[in-house]
Amino acid sequence: MALKKKKLVIGNWKMNIFTTKEAEKLVAGIKKESLKTKNTDIVVAPPFVYLASLKGLVSKKVSLGAQNIFEETAGSYTGEVSAQHLTQFKVSYVIIGHSERRARGESDASISKKIVRALEHKITPVLCIGESVHDDHGEYLDFIKSQLASGLSGVSKMQISDVVIAYEPIWAIGAKEAMNSNQVHEMSLYIQKCIKEMYGAMVMMPRILYGGAVNADNAREIVDRGYVDGLLVGRESLKVENFVGIIKNVDLIK
């Protein structure tokens, strides 16, 4: 029998937190307040400039993530950061294909290459997928299927369980309310169906996360009743009490 994976909560700081002192204080606070969690893996994904300062704060409780990588390992790519750069900073996860980057022109081909690079350097890629419109005709399902197929095109059956899928419907990011748990469950099942079609019925499933308007009040409901493996959190990860509130409520789920 395969071991049950822990839940996973990732805090994506985006382009926020503007001093090293503030970044260190936030991570230290999350570590301190999460000491009693048992069933949840915690990841913080700060801007690149803080990785060197924060690597000394990572632990079995709190891992370090990055918000992006470049699709090549090395070369004449001014301003880019590769997966190889990140290994020295104890980076365990990297967010790839976030809707905010896709909106700025990041292509499916580039996202696929980035996932391959992350796996090559033993960094867990977090593939973000999500539709902009949840239409009544189900066209968004084909869109999600296409994002999965292209993003995972370089991932083998043996590697798929080393990937994390983060479903973030674009219309729910920054919204007043999250997707309801029944809708989350439907999408979780659909993502699993797509992966089985790609890799076979006996494939070992990756962890599937939800993101979009998550807070301490709805976190447990979304994960428990939405049957997902955790959450990708944005603005609520910027304050210790808010992020830890989410973590603790997810950790209560058996």
Side-chain angles (χ1 to χ4, degrees):
M1 182 181 293
L3 292 175
K4 184 178 179 181
K5 291 185 177 180
K6 291 183 177 181
K7 301 300 183 187
L8 175 62
V9 177
I10 302 175
N12 178 13
W13 295 4
K14 304 188 179 184
M15 199 173 71
N16 295 295
I17 307 298
F18 296 101
T19 68
T20 300
K21 184 177 180 181
E22 188 181 1
E24 291 174 343
K25 182 179 179 181
L26 179 51
V27 174
I30 292 166
K31 282 181 62 178
K32 180 181 178 181
E33 296 299 323
S34 303
L35 287 174
K36 294 183 180 179
T37 57
K38 296 180 180 179
N39 308 307
T40 309
D41 291 328
I42 304 164
V43 179
V44 293
F48 284 131
V49 294
Y50 300 128
L51 293 176
S53 299
L54 296 178
K55 73 174 184 177
L57 293 175
V58 299
S59 65
K60 291 183 179 180
K61 290 285 184 182
V62 181
S63 298
L64 203 53
Q67 296 178 21
N68 184 40
I69 53 171
F70 190 57
E71 62 195 55
E72 302 296 345
T73 300
S76 301
Y77 304 106
T78 301
E80 300 294 351
V81 174
S82 77
Q84 187 169 341
H85 284 127
L86 299 185
T87 57
Q88 65 187 305
F89 301 121
K90 299 182 180 179
V91 170
S92 302
Y93 294 79
V94 59
I95 299 168
I96 296 175
H98 193 281
S99 61
E100 292 163 0
R101 295 197 58 83
R102 291 179 189 263
R104 296 181 64 83
E106 189 165 76
S107 69
D108 289 335
S110 176
I111 289 165
S112 174
K113 289 180 181 178
K114 290 180 181 187
I115 290 172
V116 171
R117 295 292 170 263
L119 290 169
E120 286 175 350
H121 290 84
K122 300 186 180 346
I123 299 173
T124 300
V126 181
L127 170 61
C128 295
I129 59 172
E131 75 283 3
S132 57
V133 179
H134 200 78
D135 63 275
D136 295 330
H137 305 293
E139 292 181 8
Y140 66 94
L141 295 175
D142 288 335
F143 183 76
I144 294 298
K145 186 174 185 177
S146 176
Q147 284 190 323
L148 282 169
S150 59
L152 298 174
S153 61
V155 178
S156 71
K157 185 174 182 177
M158 293 293 292
Q159 293 174 311
I160 185 61
S161 62
D162 295 324
V163 176
V164 173
I165 307 296
Y167 171 64
E168 281 198 310
I170 297 170
W171 52 269
I173 298 174
K176 291 183 179 179
E177 294 185 5
M179 199 180 207
N180 70 58
S181 58
N182 288 332
Q183 290 176 308
V184 173
H185 186 201
E186 288 174 0
M187 290 309 301
S188 175
L189 289 173
Y190 181 71
I191 291 167
Q192 291 178 56
K193 176 178 178 290
C194 290
I195 291 173
K196 286 179 180 179
E197 288 177 356
M198 292 173 63
Y199 294 101
M202 301 304 292
V203 65
M204 187 174 291
M205 267 310 147
R207 287 191 282 193
I208 299 172
L209 313 184
Y210 168 80
V214 175
N215 56 49
D217 293 330
N218 61 27
R220 185 174 182 181
E221 170 77 12
I222 290 171
V223 175
D224 194 20
R225 299 296 178 88
Y227 296 92
V228 287
D229 302 298
L231 302 165
L232 178 57
V233 184
R235 61 174 180 256
E236 293 293 299
S237 68
L238 299 175
K239 291 185 177 180
V240 172
E241 59 271 25
N242 295 1
F243 193 48
V244 170
I246 291 169
I247 293 164
K248 288 183 176 179
N249 283 334
V250 170
D251 200 61
L252 292 172
I253 301 167
K254 302 300 184 183

